[in-house]
Amino acid sequence: MQTTRTPPQRRPSDTGTTPPAPATAGQKMYSAAAIVAAAFVASRILGLVREVIIAARFGTSGEYDAYVAAFKIPDLLFQMVMAGAFGSAFVPVFTGYLGQGQVRKAWRLASNVITIAVEAALVLAVVLFVVAGPVVRLTVARGLPPADQALAVEMTRILLLSPIFLGLGAAAKGILESTGNFTNPALAPVTYNAAVVAGALFLAPRYGVKGLAYGVVAGSIGHLLTQFPGLLRSEMRYWLLPRPVAEGLGTVGRLLVPRVIGLIAYQVNFIVITSFASLLGVGAISALNYAYQVMMLPHGVFAISVATVIFPAMARQYAARDFAALKTTLGDALRPLLFLTLPASAALMILARPIVQTLFQFRSFSEQSTALVVQVLPYFAAGLFALAIVETTTRAYYAMHDTRTPLIASGLTIAINVVAAWILAPRLGERGLAASISVTTGLEMLILLAVLRRRIGPFDAAVWRSFVKSVLATGAMAAVLLLLRPRLIAVTDPRGGKSPWQVAIFLFAVGVGLYTYLAAAWYLKAQELTELARRFGGPLRRRV
């Protein structure tokens, strides 16, 4: 999600006289992904601040359960109309026209898709606003107390405004990333999270949990406005085309149908999980949400940033029928993902209690709230690696104009997840729901990789070497963190009061684990560490 492309940087040779070769495609991807990741880090940090503030004010209360449940129906609307239209379906066709120099066709297609999508979203939003009461009470809030059910219905109606603006933001994102501008789309989530933080700080004290919903609506508007300067620079052209008339719209429609079905199934999956969680008692929905948000921090920084950068590139390579380059681009993306997500997953599993105690346990977020989240987080974290691979390989299918295979894979795994959740929730509670999601995500990863291997052939041996070395380095880091964990749990226990000293000790322990991982990777001669050191210059290389 980040910045406009820059000319390849030149690095002096050892003699200072011979100019180097231009940057490779892999190096360009690293550069763009690093910029995208930086914006994602800022966004995720704000998102983490948001969760910390919310946790201190609402904890795992029934009121916050209602807020989390209220998100599900508006999210379903967003996924049905906007996310599907401007993700896998629109970008490959739009990028193809631009790559062929057919600029007018590209902008007419964008105009037509935007107009029709907004019309559909508005109609569905009005319908859902009218029927929100019975829909919410029978699905996501069926196990909540009546007062919390009523609150969930009210906030659902407020939040139905957000998919319209977020959808227009998704349209801007698809357009800008197709034209090589990743900066504004990457900054948009920062604006969104900043608005929600403002809602938690300034509106929640007056309006209660509804203040968070007002902040979400404001953030969705800011998400769109942040991308306007980029649209102006891209010289976007817009025609009001309320009927399907643009060339290429049929192709978008054919790609869209299976993608929308898959997105609906994915969102219904979370609606079902939320419905099961509502039957487990007060705080269950909140606990699952806090744990999921913590897991999504490294996922957003690593997986989504890399997938965002490679998607337009793979779409262009597929349009040019350069399948070797497409496979190389995907392989260059998988290696850093393996290098970064494996240790992140292990660290979240091992340090679950210190993480939750340090971040959340304060004021309304009690020791009981900590216990609820800690029992869930390791199960979510176990699926982080698989989720990152799914995020990236799915983009390869979309770039190849194939939305059917990801639909079949996700549909199969979602069906299994629903059955597994139904079996495990009564026996394991919230842990069963998190475990079912992680296991079925792993199954989806295996299906997508197996089919992709038949399509484009096996990945380069460097990908598998990266996997083995990352596993070995993660093992070394895990051994150190397991030794530190008992003392770290005692030090970060906030029952005697929070202090900067506790946070400093926690960060030091995390730093020790990170250093162990990097040192092990260095001795194993992991290519990814060398590339990162080269990318970020001499000072970092000397320190490593």
Side-chain angles (χ1 to χ4, degrees), residues 276-341:
F276 281 131
S278 72
L279 300 172
L280 298 176
V282 174
I285 295 176
S286 300
L288 285 168
N289 183 69
Y290 285 121
Y292 189 74
Q293 292 300 327
V294 171
M295 186 269 290
M296 289 300 289
L297 175 64
H299 177 70
V301 172
F302 303 144
I304 297 180
S305 59
V306 170
T308 298
V309 169
I310 67 171
F311 183 33
M314 289 191 298
R316 286 190 293 270
Q317 289 160 354
Y318 178 78
R321 294 298 187 265
D322 191 350
F323 298 105
L326 189 151
K327 185 169 71 171
T328 299
T329 298
L330 182 59
D332 286 343
L334 291 178
R335 288 190 295 104
L337 278 184
L338 294 167
F339 185 74
L340 295 170
T341 56

Side-chain angles (χ1 to χ4, degrees), residues 137-487:
R137 289 188 180 95
L138 292 173
T139 56
V140 292
R142 66 189 178 112
L144 298 183
D148 292 335
Q149 283 187 342
L151 184 59
V153 171
E154 186 177 358
M155 284 191 291
T156 295
R157 288 180 169 138
I158 295 171
L159 291 169
L160 281 170
L161 289 169
S162 63
I164 309 299
F165 297 106
L166 284 176
L168 289 170
K173 175 179 180 293
I175 290 170
L176 291 175
E177 290 175 354
S178 297
T179 57
N181 180 354
F182 295 96
T183 304
N184 294 96
L187 293 176
V190 178
T191 305
Y192 173 84
N193 279 321
V196 181
V197 168
L201 286 174
F202 304 114
L203 299 180
R206 180 173 180 179
Y207 300 104
V209 76
K210 287 188 288 187
L212 299 179
Y214 297 142
V216 168
V217 174
S220 66
I221 296 172
H223 184 275
L224 171 62
L225 294 179
T226 301
Q227 300 183 81
F228 256 101
L231 292 175
L232 293 176
R233 288 194 300 272
S234 71
E235 300 181 352
M236 178 181 178
R237 307 171 194 175
Y238 177 79
W239 295 272
L240 182 64
L241 301 174
R243 294 178 299 159
V245 294
E247 185 175 341
L249 195 63
T251 304
V252 172
R254 287 192 297 273
L255 295 173
L256 178 62
V257 171
R259 176 58 174 156
V260 166
I261 295 173
L263 287 171
I264 291 173
Y266 179 79
Q267 200 60 40
V268 168
N269 181 44
F270 276 93
I271 289 174
V272 170
I273 295 297
T274 304
S275 181
F276 281 131
S278 72
L279 300 172
L280 298 176
V282 174
I285 295 176
S286 300
L288 285 168
N289 183 69
Y290 285 121
Y292 189 74
Q293 292 300 327
V294 171
M295 186 269 290
M296 289 300 289
L297 175 64
H299 177 70
V301 172
F302 303 144
I304 297 180
S305 59
V306 170
T308 298
V309 169
I310 67 171
F311 183 33
M314 289 191 298
R316 286 190 293 270
Q317 289 160 354
Y318 178 78
R321 294 298 187 265
D322 191 350
F323 298 105
L326 189 151
K327 185 169 71 171
T328 299
T329 298
L330 182 59
D332 286 343
L334 291 178
R335 288 190 295 104
L337 278 184
L338 294 167
F339 185 74
L340 295 170
T341 56
L342 284 170
S345 178
L348 288 176
M349 294 174 69
I350 295 169
L351 301 181
R353 180 168 287 277
I355 288 171
V356 176
Q357 288 181 163
T358 302
L359 292 177
F360 297 132
Q361 193 170 330
F362 178 65
R363 291 176 56 182
S364 296
F365 200 96
S366 63
E367 186 179 354
Q368 181 183 5
S369 299
T370 294
L372 283 172
V373 178
V374 167
Q375 70 174 342
V376 174
L377 180 55
Y379 291 91
F380 274 135
L384 173 61
F385 158 69
L387 184 61
I389 301 301
V390 168
E391 182 79 37
T392 307
T393 53
T394 299
R395 301 299 179 98
Y397 284 99
Y398 297 158
M400 295 187 292
H401 295 201
D402 178 7
T403 54
R404 182 172 299 179
T405 301
L407 167 62
I408 295 172
S410 65
L412 175 62
T413 54
I414 286 169
I416 295 173
N417 181 47
V418 171
V419 175
W422 179 69
I423 295 172
L424 294 176
R427 294 166 174 79
L428 299 175
E430 298 89 338
R431 292 174 298 165
L433 296 176
S436 66
I437 290 175
S438 291
V439 170
T440 52
T441 301
L443 175 61
E444 184 177 5
M445 175 193 71
L446 294 176
I447 294 172
L448 292 175
L449 287 175
V451 176
L452 194 62
R453 188 181 189 278
R454 294 180 60 186
R455 295 272 184 87
I456 62 176
F459 289 115
D460 187 83
V463 175
W464 304 111
R465 285 197 300 269
S466 174
F467 176 74
V468 172
K469 292 179 180 181
S470 297
V471 168
L472 293 174
T474 298
M477 180 201 72
V480 171
L481 292 181
L482 285 170
L483 290 174
L484 294 174
R485 182 172 63 178
R487 182 59 182 160

Side-chain angles (χ1 to χ4, degrees), residues 37-58:
F40 259 104
V41 167
S43 173
R44 294 293 170 170
I45 288 175
L46 271 176
L48 188 59
V49 170
R50 175 197 69 203
E51 294 302 315
V52 170
I53 294 171
I54 291 172
R57 183 169 295 278
F58 298 105

